[in-house]
Amino acid sequence: MDYVNAFWVGGLICACVQILLDRTKLMPGRIMVLLVCSGAVLGFFGVYEPFQKFAGAGASVPLLGFGNTLFRGVKEAVEKDGVIGIFTGGFKASAAGIAAALIFGYLASWIFEPQMKK
């Protein structure tokens, strides 16, 4: 049942984002920022943790999960280091994901021919 929940929740998130892309004039970058900020806000209100336990990877993998990871990292760093944690916590918590995205993006640019859209 964990796989089914992850599949339909992740699909629902993707469907909502696709509706935003198709039905509004929001640019894709703004929608991505909206998702990251929404994940952080849901984490702040304590809603994201139970949602993530229910949906598993369907909730933790999309950009909502990245926003929640940033929030949790900042929260833990502020508790530990004080105000400086605002600036360092998000980076510490999400360093592996950011590094993986950069490395795999770089490797993909070697395999495929990157081009700007015309």
Side-chain angles (χ1 to χ4, degrees):
M1 197 65 182
D2 291 339
Y3 294 118
V4 173
N5 287 339
F7 180 78
W8 77 263
V9 170
L12 185 65
I13 292 169
C14 291
C16 291
V17 170
Q18 191 63 50
I19 290 169
L20 282 174
L21 284 168
D22 293 344
R23 302 285 181 202
T24 67
K25 293 184 179 188
L26 289 172
M27 301 298 289
R30 291 185 178 168
I31 293 173
M32 289 191 300
V33 169
L34 179 69
L35 287 169
V36 172
C37 292
S38 298
V41 169
L42 290 172
F44 175 76
F45 287 115
V47 176
Y48 203 84
E49 189 77 27
F51 175 60
Q52 189 173 3
K53 285 182 182 175
F54 170 74
S60 63
V61 172
L63 287 171
L64 286 170
F66 180 65
N68 185 52
T69 300
L70 289 173
F71 168 74
R72 281 188 291 136
V74 169
K75 181 181 173 186
E76 291 170 7
V78 166
E79 290 171 356
K80 181 182 174 195
D81 302 327
V83 177
I84 195 72
I86 295 171
F87 303 104
T88 62
F91 293 115
K92 288 180 183 176
S94 59
I98 294 171
L102 290 171
I103 290 168
F104 289 123
Y106 182 71
L107 292 174
S109 73
W110 279 46
I111 297 169
F112 304 100
E113 187 175 332
Q115 299 177 16
M116 294 294 291
K117 286 186 176 182
K118 295 180 182 180

